[in-house]
Amino acid sequence: MPNEENLIPITTLSKEEAKKRGAKGGKASVASRRRKKSMKQAMEMLLSMPANTSADWNLLVEMGIDTNNLDEETVNNLLIVNAALLAKAKTGDVNSIKELRNIIQDDVYINHKIKMDVAHLKLEQRKSEPQAVNQNEYKGIPANMIAPSFSSVLFDIENEEHSEYVFPGGRGSTKSSFVSLIIIDLIEKNENMHACVLRQVGETLRTSVYQQMLWAIEALGLSAEYKPTVSPLEITKISTGQKIYFRGADDPDKIKSIKVPFGYIGIAWFEELDQFAGPEAVRKIEQSVIRGGDKAYKFKSFNPPKSAQNWANKYIKIPRVDRLVIESTYLSVPKQWLGKPFLDDAEFLKETNPTAYENEYMGVANGTGGNVFDNVVIREVTDDEIKEFDRLYKGVDWGWYPDPFAYNNMTYIASQHTLIIFDEYHCNKKSNEQTATILVNEHGVTANDLIICDSAENKSIGDYRAYGLLARPAEKGPGSVEYSMKWLQSLSAIIIDNKRCPETAQEFLDYEYERDKEGNVISGYPDKNNHHIDACRYATNKIWKRRGE
């Protein structure tokens, strides 16, 4: 048997025999490496040789390549091998597609790395040439790079009027382009600040927001100033060491583990906001990422989902003092930025499917999300407004636990067909005497104020009367729930001050029709999570029962 002596255990050999076998193995290993090196050199030589058969050139012709302008040095064996690989990939061969993708990605990365290394050398040269640096000093985002929808945001950020900027918008509205530009602008103007760009799924980062940030850097003429890496996925400003981190919310540990080399993360961008788990999940990320520093900027962009009940659509309905919401569509963007194919697609969808066009291009939440009230408006109701209300309506829905006690105070403006809800009280496990005392002492209810209450608890109504309150039962009857709910739905607006009435605002925004197993809407109004809604129905009992209201 060949090499039979190699089967003898080395532990049975003498020292000299083991030494000889090791030397023999080492020589064989060296010889093997030499053969591989020679084979690699030979292969590189063969691939660099000109393609010398008619079949090679015919392959290029079959792929639609004009060979008249190609010389023999260009058409070498390497080109033919790659062309053959591409031809096979076009037929759907999975292995060929994977191999081609690997080749392209490697080349793109290598070429980009070379480009960045050269840029780094140029930057080092400019550091030693002060006059050249002054000539190329960053001067901000050119006005012609900002769509009109976002021009006011630049001044808002400059004046530090808000810390959170939310951009719901349709397709082609350039919201992502604007955010990527403003992030670079803020980094350039704040040398102690870093940024974190987030999406729900980490695997989508490299092909979306990472490429978007590279575009912004190049668009601002700063490619020589920044060095991108893919492992880890981040972008570094070379002269200062500032970082742009990229993280997915599906791996919270990676978010928590970010350690900045200096300063703090003062910029966070939540791209495709609606894909995150909800406001609480976003809030926790903000608490993990943004720490330290005197100022911070939070950007949130998304295409509004069809359902008005999606959390992101409801999120922008509730105003905050430190939040600016800017809605945008492609109609405010210069046509040359979008191109004719984009505009043609938009017009075709507008003609053939107006509902889809409204959602996708105009950013309208027009789907059948099952929400009962489409007329809710969340805004502040000022003290000056309340002073002008000449008639107030108060309602109570009794509760203990888990159902809460719910009280609301409101006014109805008949000329505008509008209900304004500006006060609430919400509690569990309080006696009738306790809630009556709170309404008098904390909510200004007097003995002359009529309170319409749920008639299901006559004893509770009697208690309120005994405590000196003018309590009356709501007038009910067959169809009263449906009638009163339809009246509320028919109003031009139900205005709710979410600061004064947070529970009421949440109920009206969240109240949905129930659905069957197939997802079809079930007729009727669900009797759950509607305690303040019922209090409002009782309070306005005398209004909606009038003929013609």
Side-chain angles (χ1 to χ4, degrees), residues 234-422:
E234 59 186 40
I235 301 173
T236 305
K237 185 180 178 185
I238 298 168
S239 59
T240 62
Q242 290 168 273
K243 300 277 189 179
I244 303 174
Y245 301 94
F246 298 85
R247 293 292 188 272
D250 53 351
D251 193 348
D253 289 338
K254 285 190 176 181
I255 297 175
K256 295 177 182 178
S257 64
I258 298 177
K259 302 295 182 185
V260 296
F262 61 90
Y264 68 104
I265 296 177
I267 307 166
W269 177 18
F270 295 83
E271 170 68 320
E272 303 294 355
L273 177 68
D274 59 299
Q275 295 179 7
F276 287 80
E280 184 178 352
V282 170
R283 186 168 61 252
K284 287 181 178 179
I285 292 173
E286 290 172 346
Q287 292 166 351
S288 296
V289 171
I290 300 178
R291 294 180 181 178
D294 297 328
K295 55 185 176 181
Y297 304 89
K298 295 173 286 187
F299 299 99
K300 298 168 182 177
S301 55
F302 68 104
N303 288 53
K306 289 183 179 181
S307 173
Q309 292 303 98
N310 179 275
W311 78 267
N313 286 332
K314 290 191 293 184
Y315 182 78
I316 61 175
K317 285 186 177 182
I318 300 177
R320 274 183 53 164
V321 175
D322 61 345
R323 177 190 299 153
L324 178 66
V325 179
I326 297 292
E327 298 180 359
S328 57
T329 73
Y330 76 99
L331 296 177
S332 66
V333 177
K335 293 182 178 180
Q336 61 269 28
W337 290 11
L338 302 171
K340 190 174 183 300
F342 178 95
L343 298 172
D344 288 344
D345 287 344
E347 285 302 310
F348 178 77
L349 191 63
K350 183 179 180 179
E351 294 175 4
T352 58
N353 192 340
T355 302
Y357 168 81
E358 271 195 345
N359 175 246
E360 295 177 23
Y361 287 91
M362 303 305 292
V364 178
N366 58 4
T368 54
N371 48 304
V372 175
F373 298 106
D374 293 319
N375 53 350
V376 175
V377 176
I378 306 296
R379 70 165 176 83
E380 179 186 7
V381 179
T382 66
D383 291 338
D384 290 338
E385 282 184 273
I386 295 173
K387 289 177 183 177
E388 297 297 321
F389 297 157
D390 59 353
R391 184 169 295 181
L392 303 180
Y393 301 88
K394 299 173 173 62
V396 162
D397 184 48
W398 306 108
W400 177 254
Y401 184 82
D403 291 339
F405 169 90
Y407 160 82
N408 283 101
N409 193 5
M410 64 212 72
T411 192
Y412 174 63
I413 304 176
S415 61
Q416 300 176 16
H417 204 37
T418 297
L419 186 69
I420 303 177
I421 307 168
F422 62 89

Side-chain angles (χ1 to χ4, degrees), residues 24 27 73 87 94 133 139 177 206 235 253 258-259 274 382 390 439 464 467 472 517 525:
K24 183 178 180 181
K27 292 176 181 177
E73 289 185 3
V94 176
V133 173
K139 298 178 181 178
S177 297
R206 184 174 175 182
I235 301 173
D253 289 338
I258 298 177
K259 302 295 182 185
D274 59 299
T382 66
D390 59 353
L439 293 185
Y464 264 35
Y467 305 140
R472 294 287 185 272
K517 293 181 179 179
Y525 301 98

Side-chain angles (χ1 to χ4, degrees), residues 42 48 165 168 178 188 198 284 323 361 382 390 425 472 476 511-512 522 529 548:
S48 65
Y165 298 86
F178 173 74
E188 288 291 319
L198 303 116
K284 287 181 178 179
R323 177 190 299 153
Y361 287 91
T382 66
D390 59 353
Y425 178 59
R472 294 287 185 272
K476 294 184 179 180
Y511 195 59
E512 290 185 310
I522 300 173
N529 301 323

Side-chain angles (χ1 to χ4, degrees), residues 88-139:
K88 198 170 182 181
K90 289 173 71 175
T91 66
D93 183 76
V94 176
N95 290 330
S96 298
I97 293 171
K98 288 181 178 179
E99 183 62 27
L100 198 61
R101 185 188 296 129
N102 289 336
I103 292 172
I104 293 171
Q105 287 179 343
D106 288 346
D107 283 349
V108 168
Y109 174 69
I110 291 169
N111 289 336
H112 193 70
K113 188 176 186 304
I114 293 171
K115 179 181 177 182
M116 289 301 103
D117 288 342
V118 171
H120 180 50
L121 290 173
K122 289 182 179 179
L123 179 63
E124 293 300 320
Q125 283 183 323
R126 288 206 303 272
K127 285 181 179 179
S128 62
E129 301 172 4
Q131 292 183 351
V133 173
N134 291 336
Q135 290 174 1
N136 294 308
E137 184 180 355
Y138 177 72
K139 298 178 181 178

